Amino acid sequence: MEITNETLLQVATQTEQTFLMQNIEKFVVEFETIEDVEIMAITACWLNIGIRSEGVAYALWAYNKFKDAGSPLDYVLNKSQYWTRFQYYYTKFTTSHTLHEWWVLMGKLYKIYSTGSTILAEVKARLDESIDTRDAILKALLQIFDGVKQMPTDGDYVPNKFVRFVMMMVRPRPIGTGVWTDFTPSQTYIPLNSELVKAISDNGLLESPNMTWDFAKTLADYFADIFPDDPARGYFSLLGLQNNLHLINK
């Protein structure tokens, strides 16, 4: 079956309709303030690993921790009560575990919010105006969270956790949060994994797909021609192709 722009639009719309019910974003949009949304969004991106149900389970665990504390911001700022006591255990016994990485992330967030700042403010303070804004946002996030384990280098794979985070922050509700109004959906990339790369290859969308930063640019530019105001919608097109929605609904 030939994949046309109309097919990609249709598949994106179908995928978006079920996305929130099956993924961790449904926990993020329950919050309103920029601080709470930022904390929940980056937590969701960090804990969304492997099998979808496992990612949702981790996100629900974190959501309940935040709710018990009053809010995500209360949880981060009251570190002695809510998370420092757990840090030793995860550092000593589960150094490669996703939750240990999350404890380190909490420490980074404490440094930001305890000074009255936000992730958005920290990003804006580090923006390199000499490069593409899409790149500048991601590079700023890499600087802010330097030291968190499993972080890619500038020349390595595109930092997908941050790509997804930026998507969530700038795109409007309900698929995004819409709280980073300083940027637009056109200033985003599309998060990639091996399954989506395979969907690109199997459907002949682009040649030699991979998960490098250079290919992320190529992919974003490709979908910018289809979704000029919101190229990140291409992510939902790829999810639909991965799940063969274009065949089921033809």
Side-chain angles (χ1 to χ4, degrees), residues 135-146:
D135 292 334
I137 295 170
L138 294 178
K139 289 179 182 294
L141 287 167
L142 286 168
Q143 292 174 10
I144 294 167
F145 294 101
D146 178 49

Side-chain angles (χ1 to χ4, degrees), residues 1-248:
M1 177 182 178
E2 180 184 2
I3 303 299
T4 65
N5 289 0
E6 183 179 352
T7 302
L8 294 171
L9 175 59
Q10 180 184 18
V11 170
T13 301
Q14 292 169 331
T15 306
E16 287 169 335
Q17 291 173 353
T18 59
F19 184 78
L20 282 178
M21 295 306 297
Q22 299 175 350
N23 286 272
I24 53 182
E25 277 79 355
K26 64 185 177 182
F27 300 109
V28 179
V29 296
E30 294 188 22
F31 299 99
E32 295 292 338
T33 69
I34 185 172
E35 294 87 354
D36 287 341
V37 171
E38 285 182 344
I39 295 166
M40 188 62 233
I42 202 162
T43 292
C45 291
W46 239 257
L47 297 184
N48 183 40
I49 61 163
I51 302 171
R52 176 183 295 167
S53 60
E54 185 178 2
V56 173
Y58 277 132
L60 179 59
W61 173 86
Y63 172 78
N64 287 332
K65 292 284 186 184
F66 292 152
K67 186 170 64 174
D68 291 343
S71 74
L73 183 61
D74 291 340
Y75 182 91
V76 168
L77 293 183
N78 199 342
K79 65 175 186 174
S80 61
Q81 180 176 352
Y82 293 116
W83 58 271
T84 300
R85 60 186 176 182
F86 300 110
Q87 202 164 22
Y88 171 79
Y89 174 81
Y90 283 102
T91 300
K92 185 173 180 61
F93 299 106
T94 57
T95 55
S96 62
H97 197 281
T98 301
L99 288 180
H100 168 257
E101 191 178 348
W102 185 65
W103 298 122
V104 178
L105 185 69
M106 289 295 103
K108 295 284 186 178
L109 294 178
Y110 175 78
K111 290 181 179 179
I112 292 172
Y113 297 111
S114 63
T115 63
S117 188
T118 63
I119 298 177
L120 174 60
E122 296 298 313
V123 167
K124 290 169 63 178
R126 291 170 172 78
L127 277 185
D128 183 348
E129 296 182 359
S130 69
I131 62 176
D132 189 312
T133 302
R134 297 176 301 181
D135 292 334
I137 295 170
L138 294 178
K139 289 179 182 294
L141 287 167
L142 286 168
Q143 292 174 10
I144 294 167
F145 294 101
D146 178 49
V148 178
K149 291 182 64 175
Q150 302 174 5
M151 192 67 67
T153 62
D154 284 358
D156 202 349
Y157 294 137
V158 64
N160 278 315
K161 290 179 179 179
F162 288 147
V163 171
R164 188 169 186 178
F165 174 66
V166 174
M167 276 182 55
M168 293 169 65
M169 301 312 293
V170 304
R171 302 182 75 235
R173 292 175 183 250
I175 302 299
T177 66
V179 300
W180 277 18
T181 56
D182 299 73
F183 304 113
T184 68
S186 64
Q187 295 169 323
T188 63
Y189 285 120
I190 295 171
L192 285 168
N193 56 39
S194 58
E195 290 80 10
L196 295 187
V197 167
K198 185 176 186 300
I200 295 169
S201 178
D202 290 349
N203 291 282
L205 295 186
L206 291 166
E207 295 182 356
S208 304
N210 55 67
M211 290 187 287
T212 64
W213 205 311
D214 284 342
F215 183 75
K217 296 175 189 290
T218 301
L219 185 65
D221 291 341
Y222 172 80
F223 278 112
D225 290 335
I226 303 169
F227 308 113
D229 297 327
D230 189 6
R233 284 198 75 197
Y235 175 62
F236 300 98
S237 295
L238 295 179
L239 288 177
L241 294 180
Q242 176 191 329
N243 291 288
N244 295 315
L245 290 186
H246 59 306
L247 300 178
I248 296 171

